[in-house]
Amino acid sequence: MHIGLIGGIGPAATDFYYRRLIATFASRKAALELTIVHADTQTLLSNLSRNDIEAQVAIYSRLTDRLVAAGAGCVVVTSIAGHFCIEAFKSVSPLPVVDMIAEVGHAVDKNGLKRIGILGTRTVMETRFYGGIRSAEIIPPSGSDLDDVHQAYVAMAASGVATEAQRSIFNHVSRKLLEENGAEAIMLGGTDLALVFSQDHASFPLVDCAAIHVDAIARLALSA
């Protein structure tokens, strides 16, 4: 299946999806058919802050029309923040949407974790991953920690680079969620957190939403 990615939100997340798909298909000795269209990070964040579902769905729909013309058989939003309007988008998309919220929910159901800390944008943290996890309690940072994580994440996503100060915030808040709030793992509730954490090198358990999403995309495309 030809995969259609709505990328650019942010650039580092798009790079993560692209590289992981390349590696997965290469390991299976399968040809990767892929088209990426570009959505703007700042426009998304503005629409998210106003909960302007209609405006963001219109952007996704316009970009998906391009993917249809390119021959894509599915569409993927490469942003967790960008999933704030995913149900509305799924109802009008001309292509099947690979829904990250649903895929992460399935993965959490299987792994047996019961308390999971979360990092990401304010909306993703405050809504506890849009209420998409049924089998575990999602624990957001509290007080100024939530503000610090949101601000660091938004700046990182826009630039595509993680500074040492941003890394320090994410690691400090993760430790507090684990040690003071009883979290068993940290959910990477923003796809650009691949700039900071990886499953191979993390010193604590992760729920890597972007990796779960990419693996679900690959399974779908390879089975078609």
Side-chain angles (χ1 to χ4, degrees):
M1 177 187 289
H2 186 140
I3 300 167
L5 299 184
I6 297 178
I9 42 176
T14 308
D15 180 71
F16 176 86
Y17 276 68
Y18 192 22
R19 290 178 183 273
R20 192 174 180 95
L21 284 168
I22 289 171
T24 300
F25 276 71
S27 71
R28 297 287 295 272
K29 295 182 171 57
L32 173 62
E33 293 186 78
L34 172 70
T35 299
I36 303 174
V37 292
H38 178 73
D40 178 65
T41 301
Q42 294 302 330
T43 301
L44 167 63
L45 292 173
S46 176
N47 288 335
L48 174 63
S49 69
R50 301 192 311 274
N51 196 36
D52 195 338
I53 290 173
E54 183 178 355
Q56 195 61 41
V57 168
I59 292 169
Y60 289 164
S61 297
R62 173 173 52 81
L63 293 173
T64 304
D65 287 341
R66 295 183 192 173
L67 294 172
V68 170
C74 67
V75 60
V76 177
V77 175
T78 60
S79 163
I80 299 174
H83 275 63
F84 82 98
C85 60
I86 203 69
E87 291 301 325
F89 175 49
K90 285 161 65 174
S91 71
V92 299
S93 173
L95 291 175
V97 178
V98 186
D99 183 346
M100 182 193 301
I101 297 171
E103 295 298 338
V104 173
H106 296 325
V108 170
D109 287 346
K110 292 178 182 179
N111 68 22
L113 295 170
K114 295 303 179 186
R115 290 175 64 82
I116 303 171
I118 187 169
L119 306 177
T121 62
R122 183 184 310 280
T123 301
V124 171
M125 292 186 290
E126 288 183 337
T127 62
R128 293 162 171 79
F129 200 65
Y130 302 116
I133 306 302
R134 306 297 184 190
S135 60
E137 180 184 2
I138 303 301
I139 307 167
S142 59
S144 62
D145 285 343
L146 190 143
D147 294 331
D148 290 345
V149 169
H150 171 77
Q151 291 166 8
Y153 184 81
V154 167
M156 181 182 69
S159 69
V161 177
T163 67
E164 287 306 312
Q166 290 160 355
R167 292 175 186 273
S168 178
I169 289 169
F170 297 136
N171 279 293
H172 172 69
V173 174
S174 294
R175 289 293 177 192
K176 287 182 70 173
L177 289 168
L178 293 161
E179 295 169 9
E180 299 179 15
N181 296 91
E184 302 165 86
I186 299 298
M187 175 178 286
L188 305 184
T191 50
D192 291 271
L193 285 165
L195 288 167
V196 179
F197 301 103
S198 74
Q199 290 174 315
D200 295 335
H201 302 105
S203 59
F204 43 79
L206 299 175
V207 177
D208 190 338
C209 297
I212 291 167
H213 198 201
V214 174
D215 292 347
I217 297 159
R219 285 195 302 271
L220 174 66
L222 288 165
S223 67

